[in-house]
Amino acid sequence: MALDQLGEFKAALADLDNQVILDRFYYSRQALMLDGDAEAQLRRSVAKNFGVAMRDVIVTGSAKLGFTIVAKEKRPIFSPFADESDIDIAIISADLFTSLWKDAAAFVVEHGQGSWPDANSFRKYLLRGWLRPDRLPKTAEFPRSKAWFDFFRLLTASGEYGPYKITGGVYYDEQFWETYAASSFDSCRLAIETPI
């Protein structure tokens, strides 16, 4: 089934614009690697924990498509979803984004820039409207990091969504998320045009 969807996805890259691809593969289909009930339950759990609407929680990445569209070390583009794959969640919420950003800024004021080694990486993603929790301060003085990862660790450990690690990121709004996704589609087109 993932191979069928990969072929369809590649054909869509050749023929359709990014918005139509988003609509077709992300907004109108269930995740390929979760059944419909499991996807809804997962999205509901994330929405409830972070106080956002369920419509603002999206399963993305290879769990959604059945293959990766972002090349990673030891995992080339279009690799099928596998045992070592994650279930990636995008949370689209200006309120959550701003709240985490303000807390991170307050952390710098209180503890100094030197206490946050990933600050530059955090800024890089912030510019793109994407807040990566793995780039937040990782100290006891910033308890929101621990709370974030404890939640996803427990969700993963529940085993309700398979043996896969579940991770999440926060986008300020839908436009930033769609821009990120569209840039991945452009990378896929380039990979098809210039295979290694």
Side-chain angles (χ1 to χ4, degrees):
M1 187 179 223
L3 286 177
D4 292 345
Q5 182 143 304
L6 177 57
E8 183 186 354
F9 183 78
K10 286 182 174 178
L13 289 170
D15 297 334
L16 303 173
D17 69 33
N18 290 337
Q19 186 62 62
V20 176
I21 295 171
L22 278 166
D23 292 347
R24 183 171 295 176
F25 290 90
Y26 285 92
Y27 294 133
S28 64
R29 295 184 184 181
Q30 76 174 56
L32 204 59
M33 307 317 295
L34 295 168
D35 70 36
D37 288 343
E39 181 178 5
Q41 182 180 325
L42 175 58
R43 291 175 57 216
R44 179 72 67 195
S45 295
V46 173
K48 185 176 177 183
N49 186 72
F50 293 105
V52 301
M54 186 173 168
R55 68 175 177 275
D56 296 328
V57 178
I58 302 170
V59 176
T60 67
S62 59
K64 183 71 177 185
L65 299 172
F67 50 87
T68 184
I69 60 171
V70 177
K72 297 177 182 171
E73 187 179 352
K74 299 180 181 177
R75 194 153 183 247
I77 200 164
F78 301 131
S79 296
F81 186 86
D83 290 346
E84 66 276 5
S85 298
D86 296 345
I87 297 175
D88 297 314
I89 305 289
I91 304 171
I92 299 170
S93 169
D95 289 343
L96 180 60
F97 184 100
T98 305
S99 170
L100 284 164
W101 182 12
K102 285 181 177 178
D103 284 356
F107 174 85
V108 170
V109 169
E110 187 172 343
H111 300 282
Q113 182 92 25
S115 61
W116 186 5
D118 286 334
N120 284 334
S121 180
F122 178 85
R123 281 192 209 101
K124 178 179 126 187
Y125 289 98
L126 194 66
L127 185 64
R128 300 174 186 164
W130 179 13
L131 195 150
R132 285 189 52 168
D134 61 328
R135 301 298 194 260
L136 287 168
K138 298 177 183 76
T139 76
E141 288 78 31
F142 195 80
R144 292 191 76 178
S145 282
K146 183 178 184 318
W148 181 279
F149 289 104
D150 283 351
F151 169 73
F152 280 104
R153 198 173 299 115
L154 287 173
L155 209 53
T156 298
S158 75
E160 294 178 50
Y161 311 102
Y164 313 107
K165 182 179 179 184
I166 302 170
T167 63
V170 182
Y171 291 83
Y172 182 80
D173 63 18
E174 192 173 80
Q175 181 180 352
F176 280 114
W177 182 78
E178 290 185 353
T179 298
Y180 171 73
S183 72
S184 299
F185 301 159
D186 293 340
S187 295
C188 289
R189 289 185 181 97
L190 187 61
I192 292 170
E193 291 168 7
T194 55
I196 296 174

